[in-house]
Amino acid sequence: MRKQDKKQLIDSLTQQLTDNNNFYITDVSDLNAEASSNLRRLCHKNGIKMQVVKNTLLKKAMENVEKDYEELYVTLKGNTSIMFAEAGNVPAKMIKEFRKKSDRPVLKGAYIEEMTYIGDDQLDFLIAIKSKNELIQMLLHYCNHLLRMLFQHYNPVDHSYPESLRPYQKRVNKASFFKII
């Protein structure tokens, strides 16, 4: 590989690392062409960008980014591929699903929202991590529940709603207020 090509690849990896808060470093060696193709298809289906990289180029790209990736340097041995995703738990779920048919990919490490996870034994923990959208949905559900309890506490028949809540009374009674998507 020419020096200019290496620089372009390092710049590309640096940009991807800067733009993404979640990525996984995996080992996909020993996959045959069919299994590798199936893995790439599954990645694409789940919105994961997977790229096979050279360890030294990935390390240089990590050094160019202002985030602290130093703990992940120990994972940069052997065959390495990197997976980028919006949600932190999606690659872990995809790896678990793919492993029903194969013993690869092996999780070497992950960087999720400024936290570092090292080793394949972290896979189940990473699956359990809630994504930002899942947390927002849970929060809305709890707020909805609390508001319903509050409105049920005031009997709508005797019009004992506090003045500040009266504009919402009809919406709550129609059950159209704060529906979870």
Side-chain angles (χ1 to χ4, degrees), residues 38-50:
N38 290 339
L39 177 63
R40 288 185 183 277
R41 245 185 248 110
L42 191 58
C43 284
H44 182 72
K45 178 182 168 188
N46 287 298
I48 300 167
K49 183 177 184 221
M50 185 178 107

Side-chain angles (χ1 to χ4, degrees), residues 4-22:
Q4 183 181 2
D5 295 336
K6 288 180 182 179
K7 184 176 178 352
Q8 284 179 335
L9 188 56
I10 290 170
D11 290 343
S12 172
L13 285 170
T14 301
Q15 187 62 44
Q16 290 176 30
L17 290 170
T18 302
D19 294 344
N20 292 285
N21 289 329
N22 308 310

